[in-house]
Amino acid sequence: MIALEALKRNRLRKIKRAFSTRRVPPSVMKTIISDARQPRAGDLVLARVDEISHHTKLELTDGRKALMFPGDEIVVCFGNRYAPDQFEALVPTDMSTCDLVAAGGIAAHELVRHQRMKPPTRITPVGLIGNAEGERVNVLDFRVDAPDHKPEIPAILSLGTSMNAGKTLAATSMVRGFKRAGLKVVALKITGTGAGGDMWIVRDAGADMSYDFTDGGYASTYLTEISDIIGLTYRLMNYAAKHGAQIAVIEIADGLHQLETAQLIRRPEIRDVAVGTLFNSYDAMGAVQGVKELREAGHDILGLSGQLGRAPLGVREAEAASGLRVYLPFELQNGALVPAVRERAAAKLEREGGENKYLRALANAELPPDMPEALGHLARPGASAAMPRWSSKMLERDILSMAAHCVMQSDADALCGVEPGRKGRRCDWRNGSHQMIWETELGPVELKVPRLKIAKYAPPFLTAQEPVLPRLEAVLSADSSSRHLAVQDLLAALSPSPVSPARLWHLTEQAGSRIAAAAEPGRPEHLALVRPVEFRPVENEITAYQPEEMSDDDLIVEELVRARA
């Protein structure tokens, strides 16, 4: 005998409904099935919050993260979760007390968790959500309506070594690059655990459409049949193509050795819709091994990206060992992949024959307007190992970036009253930094601008009228004995405030090392210069790179605890 209770409209309005349930209309939620039946993945459940722990907020259907309190009623989905940086959890076998294992609204029993994780927030199911006939409501019943045959729209894959390797940031940056080429872009995430953060990021980046596996009918994809994941991918791609998308940027969650990812990358159904793959890694070793495995699986690797790009020496190692270029976020956003993707599309169109209008549009895509010269090299099919040519313009921009950051740090010293790590009478305190783009004659320069607790700081060179290019050229042409004066003259053009002698000499040595490395005879051109790493082209880049749901303060405290231990 099924125990049913009417879910009244007034009660439903007060209940916090999670992101994972967003495709289910409230008008369908009519009953509460309170008998002790076994839940299934994707079933909606009304639960009571018992004990707040790791997850203090629930991401609602509109993306807002609402604070939870003990006693709150929430509507979430039963589902499995696999997240090496957080939890592994499975759908429970009954309706007893269980865990909230994802902020997007996943109810499960925790199996294991990362050492830095608090225990999950505890919830007690009140009953499954039912429709007016008393039948359980499952998100699979509300997936997008589209066929699951092989789509014609081409895709670029964003894969990585692990969770938080930089896949989402790379996908976001590719979206902007393809938009600058005049293409209509859909961003898809086909595996993972239901949450809206990645969808909001790619929409903010300009994606014409963004969908994930929740739109395909799954609250999470851990332990889902591979054929079902391929089916949801094809449906989402066909749905996007029906609404005008010309290219799909597809992120596959976690690392290459995660259960579903390991199978997906070896399936021809996924390879056949892709014109190329961008691989994201933390370090050179992971990049090289990942490229090897993907090539063995038949993937055409366009290049490398991810956390690796924050380490200039790691970039050098990875490029030398793999023969692939490491694309930094601002390069992807400027359209650096467009030439290579365009050539791959043309080659695929020629191989397959026929008149695939999407491949033809991609093959004929215009290069992004005002693309920096250094990014405009055309990669031939199969020539992804070709390295960019470093130019004097890039060397000048590199030194300009170093000089700008020298000025900003010196200004922050003056506003605080003391340099970092020094004792003295303070007027202010450093409070991290924020990112911005400085448009210069040499192209965009990514700035990491100091943030202070009291003073509002803006770099003086943003509005300076002094000519900079002649002074940069003087730095490049100066010999070691006169470079100090040339650097001092460059800094004077950027700011009226003098920098300390220590900072001046440090910058002079940095500039000399870069110039000497670029001019070193017999050195491979792509290794002659280490590219600068102050790249923060979008405000949420740090969020995308950091482990999920950890703030800057959390990371700092964690490092302090480790140091003391």
Side-chain angles (χ1 to χ4, degrees), residues 541-555:
E541 179 179 355
I542 294 179
T543 303
Y545 268 142
Q546 286 176 352
E548 184 182 343
E549 297 169 6
M550 283 194 78
S551 66
D552 288 342
D553 290 342
D554 291 332
L555 293 170

Side-chain angles (χ1 to χ4, degrees), residues 424-442:
R425 186 174 180 181
R426 283 193 169 274
C427 305
D428 209 335
W429 292 261
R430 293 173 184 261
N431 189 29
S433 62
H434 66 92
Q435 292 75 41
M436 66 177 297
I437 297 292
W438 177 27
E439 295 294 345
T440 74
E441 295 178 74
L442 300 171

Side-chain angles (χ1 to χ4, degrees), residues 350-367:
E350 185 176 349
R351 285 196 308 271
E352 295 181 355
E355 287 295 325
N356 185 319
K357 64 179 181 179
Y358 301 104
L359 282 175
R360 188 164 298 281
L362 188 54
N364 295 324
E366 295 294 327
L367 289 178

Side-chain angles (χ1 to χ4, degrees), residues 190-228:
I190 62 171
T191 63
T193 303
D198 293 350
M199 290 183 62
W200 313 138
I201 289 172
V202 292
R203 285 186 188 178
D204 291 343
D208 297 281
M209 292 158 259
S210 62
Y211 307 114
D212 72 356
F213 46 88
T214 62
D215 295 291
Y218 296 85
S220 69
T221 56
Y222 181 38
L223 301 181
T224 299
E225 292 290 335
I226 297 303
S227 58
D228 291 336

